[in-house]
Amino acid sequence: MLNFRQIKEWKYTGTAAGVAACTAVGYLLSGTKVAGLASFADISASGASGLPFAAAVFLGSLVRSIISGGVGHNIVKLSSLALIMIIKMFLEPRNDPKFSGINTAVSVFVSGAAVSAVIGELVQKLIFYGFYGGIAGFTAYSASGIINGFRKDKVIDLSGKNGFSGAVLYIVLVASLCSVKLPVLNAGIIAGSAVTLAGAYFFSRAGGVICGSLTVCGAFLVSDSSGMSVVLLPAAALLTGCLHKQKASTAAAFFTATSFIMTVLTGMTYTGFESMIDIICGALIFIPFAAHFSDKWISTGSGSSDMLPDVINARMVFLSDTVMELRMESERISDMLAKSCDAGREIEENSEAVCSSCYRRPFCWKSDRGNTYRGFRRLAEMPETVRDSFPEELADCLRKKELSEAFSRSSQEKAAAKLMDLRFSESRGLLHEQMKITEELIRSAGERVDVRYSETVSRSIRKKLEKFGITPANVIASYNRRGRLVAEVYFSAENAPEESTRVCDLAADELHLRLESTEPVRTGREVRIRVYEKPKYSMEVCAASSCAGGTGDNGDTHTVFTDGCEAGYVVLSDGMGTGSEASLESRMVVGMFRRLIMGGVDHTSAIKLINSIMVTKSGDESFATLDALKIDLDECELTLIKSGAAATLIRHRGNVLKVTSPTFPIGIYEQSEAYIHSCGFDEGDIVIMFSDGIYENAYPFIKELLLGGDDLRHIVGEICAKAEVFNPTIHNDDVTVIGVRVTG
């Protein structure tokens, strides 16, 4: 027998559930009415859905018509649904709301016109079916836009023009449900009351009034009595919106009591009392729903909040450009200073100092200027050791000794200037590189992040933590592009908890979600803890290592971590040489890379910063390789980041790919070199990373292991154990082998 887990993991479960739901929608809505006419809700649902779901709506409507004996009465609707399917089968572009609306409108108009022509009422019914098809088409267009937005961003976007589409759909749905015949109860008013109460509770007064007003509109489309029975819902929601910070049960009780009291005070007992049972049912539905509601699925962002990231981006870009201009200006100043001590300036200064008091100056520098200048230039270019042999152009000079001493002094000054220039050229280069890094960091910090911030969740986490004596400085909760919650909790250094477990548990308890957390990231003044919903994929990592010459110190260092947003990292560094000194270099590189990534720095800027630190940290030669693997745990996308690292082997779809990088290790040159490569990767694929202790002639053996089995620990262990066999030299190196596989 199939258990629930197997059904849940079946790849067609979602499609099967969607088909079943659409069949139920077709069956339920085919007999409903809007404004006294047959409802077009099932037709619009078919037009907005994909082909298999449109067929399911048609099936449900057909079954309902057969059971009720109304196939002939519903022939226009059934033919419209059939025509929608036919057009979808051959013509409809994928995920196009405009075509969905046009398809629905044309199908209704053509079907209605054909049936009217058969029964001889074409002229009378043509305008009606044109209007009816237009309304159905616009509803299908609105529904398709909402559905496509949810498929793309995993959120129902009700901001801007999408809010109008959502209002249209809600009114049609309430009207259709109000016309469903149930004993005693009214399904439309029950649903409308629950939604109105939810709007007031989660989106304050404005949300409640809007939802209540739309509910009233939908009820009036069915009948005056239905509309009058709930006409006071917006007023009750307005008052209930003031209790959005109270318990859900308290808000529900207040909403119900307010509706009853207002019904009595306005004298509308003849219609209002009939709906009180429906309102009570709606409130009872709301209470358990409120405990599981999340703004993860609904976005009502305003224009001002959407503009905020753009404003921040513009200011960050301007600041980045300012730093860039400052860097370029400093380079221009350095060039000017470097050119200020040329030979021409030296000749001018020495001639001014020695020749200004000589009576022959007018003759030398006017009548015979060319010959004199050539003599001065030759004197300036003479080495200090042969300065006693005077240029023949200056054979008649009366002040040879003074000139020789002057040029000797300037020669010494030039030598000192060159020495200082050599001494500071590296520092200037590093300074310019660091300014460039700062410029890139500022620019990247201003880039618009593809997340949706949630004030509601942020406030809930803060209140929960404060209730248990944990005082955060700030809480920022957001949903990423896959609809997964990520919350950043900031503390001042003196109030920060030592571990993140307690914060994670409290947040999970408040939100009723399974959450994980990163380790605390500390700066001088703040500590940040990131809690997040578990992503779709996870990493399985196995590592093996051995030390050169049997020593106890391995010069390789590796680490595995997740940034808490979307990516998992595996980082390997091989320090220069072997033993403890190499281990120190590799630990520094790995530690700094992890700290910068966790702090929010992108990997390119992180490598540049680490390189700058490694170059300037001491006068001794110091470098290490960096081999990092980044996996997007939401999308299963692989990115390789290399600086002087060994090759990486990837088993992907039955083939083994070798990725190498022609870059130098970190810490050799002022400007860092990083090789970044993105490649195809699927669940179950394997990546093998290793240090320089694995030589290239071992690659065929590794390829055979990868293609011959899936035991990751065995593969890694065999590669490490056979490393010495494939060593073509007499010198051993430290060996580290890491295997990575993504699992669902």
Side-chain angles (χ1 to χ4, degrees):
M1 290 181 62
L2 291 175
N3 56 33
F4 178 75
R5 180 183 179 87
Q6 291 174 320
I7 295 175
K8 186 177 180 181
E9 292 179 352
W10 185 41
K11 63 179 180 179
Y12 298 111
T13 298
T15 302
V19 169
C22 288
T23 304
V25 167
Y27 183 87
L28 181 66
L29 298 182
S30 63
T32 60
K33 293 185 177 183
V34 174
L37 302 173
S39 173
F40 51 82
D42 51 347
I43 301 176
S44 298
S46 177
S49 306
L51 178 60
F53 306 109
V57 174
F58 172 74
L59 176 62
S61 181
L62 180 62
V63 171
R64 175 69 176 266
S65 299
I66 293 174
I67 293 176
S68 62
V71 174
H73 181 71
N74 293 329
I75 188 63
V76 174
K77 177 176 291 189
L78 293 174
S79 59
S80 298
L81 292 172
L83 188 56
I84 287 173
M85 282 194 306
I86 294 173
I87 295 176
K88 284 179 178 290
M89 190 178 301
F90 295 103
L91 298 178
E92 184 181 14
R94 184 179 179 88
N95 298 330
D96 189 344
K98 291 183 179 180
F99 197 90
S100 296
I102 295 173
N103 179 12
T104 303
V106 170
S107 298
V108 172
F109 181 76
V110 171
S111 299
V115 173
S116 300
V118 171
I119 63 177
E121 298 180 356
L122 178 61
V123 178
Q124 300 92 318
K125 296 289 184 69
L126 199 60
I127 297 177
F128 167 75
Y129 281 117
F131 176 77
Y132 191 84
I135 297 297
F138 181 77
T139 305
Y141 165 79
S142 301
S144 180
I146 296 293
I147 293 172
N148 288 345
F150 183 78
R151 286 175 178 171
K152 178 182 177 182
D153 301 322
K154 303 301 180 183
V155 60
I156 300 175
D157 186 6
L158 299 179
S159 60
K161 63 180 182 180
N162 292 327
F164 179 71
S165 298
V168 170
L169 294 178
Y170 180 72
I171 291 173
V172 172
L173 180 62
V174 169
S176 300
L177 291 177
C178 282
S179 64
V180 174
K181 296 180 180 180
L182 295 176
V184 182
L185 301 176
N186 187 310
I189 295 179
I190 293 175
S193 300
V195 172
T196 300
L197 180 53
Y201 184 74
F202 294 110
F203 301 100
S204 193
R205 293 181 289 268
V209 171
I210 292 173
C211 293
S213 301
L214 296 178
T215 301
V216 173
C217 290
F220 266 115
L221 285 177
V222 177
S223 65
D224 292 342
S225 60
S226 296
M228 291 301 297
S229 66
V230 291
V231 74
L232 297 175
L233 272 184
L238 177 66
L239 298 176
T240 307
C242 300
L243 302 180
H244 65 279
K245 294 185 179 181
Q246 304 298 321
K247 292 182 178 179
S249 56
T250 303
F254 181 84
F255 177 76
T256 304
T258 302
S259 299
F260 177 79
I261 293 172
M262 294 180 70
T263 299
V264 174
L265 293 178
T266 55
M268 299 179 62
T269 55
Y270 66 96
T271 57
F273 282 167
E274 296 177 2
S275 65
M276 281 309 302
I277 297 178
D278 300 323
I279 294 175
I280 293 173
C281 291
L284 293 176
I285 292 174
F286 163 77
I287 293 175
F289 167 78
H292 301 282
F293 173 81
S294 171
D295 57 358
K296 171 181 181 178
W297 308 112
I298 298 178
S299 172
T300 59
S302 61
S304 58
S305 63
D306 290 339
M307 286 182 61
L308 182 59
D310 294 329
V311 173
I312 295 174
N313 178 48
R315 292 181 176 179
M316 287 292 190
V317 169
F318 181 80
L319 180 57
S320 173
D321 292 342
T322 302
V323 175
M324 179 182 65
E325 184 63 27
L326 178 61
R327 175 172 57 84
M328 296 178 65
E329 182 66 23
S330 67
E331 291 175 354
R332 288 194 292 267
I333 293 173
S334 297
D335 293 338
M336 291 173 60
L337 292 175
K339 296 176 181 179
S340 64
C341 293
D342 57 11
R345 185 178 183 86
E346 181 184 3
I347 291 173
E348 291 177 5
E349 291 179 350
N350 289 337
S351 65
E352 180 68 24
V354 177
C355 301
S356 59
S357 59
C358 181
Y359 74 91
R360 286 178 57 85
R361 178 181 178 125
F363 172 79
C364 296
W365 288 100
K366 289 186 178 179
S367 303
D368 198 21
R369 179 179 177 85
N371 193 51
T372 302
Y373 191 85
R374 283 192 297 272
F376 269 71
R377 177 170 288 279
R378 288 183 60 187
L379 188 62
E381 294 174 353
M382 279 186 178
E384 185 70 22
T385 55
V386 297
R387 187 61 56 79
D388 293 338
S389 58
F390 225 64
E392 58 182 12
E393 291 88 351
L394 302 177
D396 297 333
C397 181
L398 301 178
R399 299 194 175 186
K400 296 178 181 179
K401 183 178 180 180
E402 290 87 341
L403 279 178
S404 180
E405 291 175 352
F407 276 100
S408 294
R409 287 193 301 270
S410 62
S411 178
Q412 293 172 1
E413 290 173 358
K414 283 195 300 182
K418 288 182 179 180
L419 181 62
M420 293 299 294
D421 185 64
L422 290 174
R423 183 177 299 176
F424 291 110
S425 61
E426 183 177 358
S427 298
R428 282 201 303 269
L430 287 172
L431 175 61
H432 293 159
E433 181 69 11
Q434 289 169 354
M435 292 179 69
K436 187 176 180 180
I437 295 170
T438 303
E439 168 193 332
E440 293 175 355
L441 283 173
I442 294 172
R443 188 179 295 273
S444 64
E447 291 179 355
R448 183 164 185 148
V449 183
D450 189 13
V451 298
R452 182 169 55 87
Y453 296 99
S454 172
E455 181 182 355
T456 303
V457 177
S458 301
R459 183 173 60 248
S460 300
I461 294 176
R462 176 189 284 275
K463 289 175 62 177
K464 184 71 171 185
L465 295 178
E466 290 176 345
K467 181 179 179 181
F468 286 85
I470 301 175
T471 308
N474 199 6
V475 179
I476 302 175
S478 60
Y479 298 101
N480 67 5
R481 57 185 178 178
R482 299 292 296 175
R484 190 164 53 82
L485 177 67
V486 179
E488 295 178 347
V489 187
Y490 294 87
F491 299 90
S492 60
E494 57 272 12
N495 293 329
E498 292 296 327
E499 297 182 353
S500 58
T501 305
R502 180 63 171 164
V503 174
C504 181
D505 290 344
L506 291 174
D509 181 67
E510 174 66 19
L511 303 176
H512 305 285
L513 296 172
R514 295 181 61 183
L515 300 178
E516 297 180 354
S517 62
T518 62
E519 296 178 359
V521 179
R522 303 178 185 275
T523 65
R525 295 178 299 176
E526 284 189 312
V527 176
R528 188 199 70 200
I529 295 175
R530 186 175 277 163
V531 297
Y532 56 94
E533 284 186 272
K534 185 178 179 181
K536 180 179 179 180
Y537 300 98
S538 59
M539 295 189 304
E540 178 187 355
V541 181
C542 294
S545 62
S546 62
C547 303
T551 62
D553 294 320
N554 192 318
D556 305 333
T557 303
H558 73 277
T559 187
V560 181
F561 65 95
T562 59
D563 62 5
C565 289
E566 61 182 21
Y569 288 84
V570 181
V571 186
L572 171 63
S573 178
D574 185 354
M576 180 184 67
T578 60
S580 58
E581 294 183 1
S583 176
L584 175 63
E585 308 297 341
S586 62
R587 284 202 305 270
M588 285 186 59
V589 170
V590 169
M592 287 188 290
F593 184 81
R594 175 171 182 164
R595 185 176 181 86
L596 290 171
I597 293 296
M598 294 295 290
V601 179
D602 67 279
H603 49 260
T604 303
S605 298
I607 292 175
K608 291 182 178 180
L609 280 171
I610 296 170
N611 182 76
S612 177
I613 294 171
M614 292 291 287
V615 169
T616 58
K617 79 180 186 69
S618 70
D620 299 329
E621 187 180 36
S622 171
F623 61 85
T625 66
L626 175 69
D627 195 1
L629 180 152
K630 175 185 176 183
I631 299 178
D632 187 324
L633 298 178
D634 287 324
E635 306 286 350
C636 197
E637 296 176 351
L638 174 66
T639 303
L640 301 179
I641 307 159
K642 290 177 173 290
S643 284
T648 298
L649 299 182
I650 305 170
R651 190 189 75 181
H652 175 60
R653 296 181 180 177
N655 297 313
V656 176
L657 173 68
K658 174 185 173 185
V659 180
T660 59
S661 64
T663 55
F664 291 100
I666 289 177
I668 293 182
Y669 295 111
E670 297 169 5
Q671 296 182 346
S672 63
E673 293 186 8
Y675 174 80
I676 301 173
H677 177 73
S678 298
C679 53
F681 203 64
D682 298 324
E683 181 181 351
D685 289 350
I686 296 177
V687 180
I688 299 295
M689 309 165 61
F690 38 76
S691 61
D692 292 337
I694 301 295
Y695 294 89
E696 190 167 352
N697 57 1
Y699 293 172
F701 170 70
I702 299 174
K703 179 178 180 180
E704 184 180 348
L705 285 174
L706 287 172
L707 297 177
D710 291 325
D711 190 338
L712 190 61
R713 189 173 299 278
H714 171 74
I715 293 172
V716 169
E718 282 294 302
I719 297 172
C720 184
K722 298 295 191 302
E724 189 173 351
V725 175
F726 294 98
N727 185 355
T729 69
I730 60 173
H731 301 289
N732 292 330
D733 195 0
D734 297 322
V735 173
T736 299
V737 183
I738 304 175
V740 184
R741 176 167 48 206
V742 170
T743 58

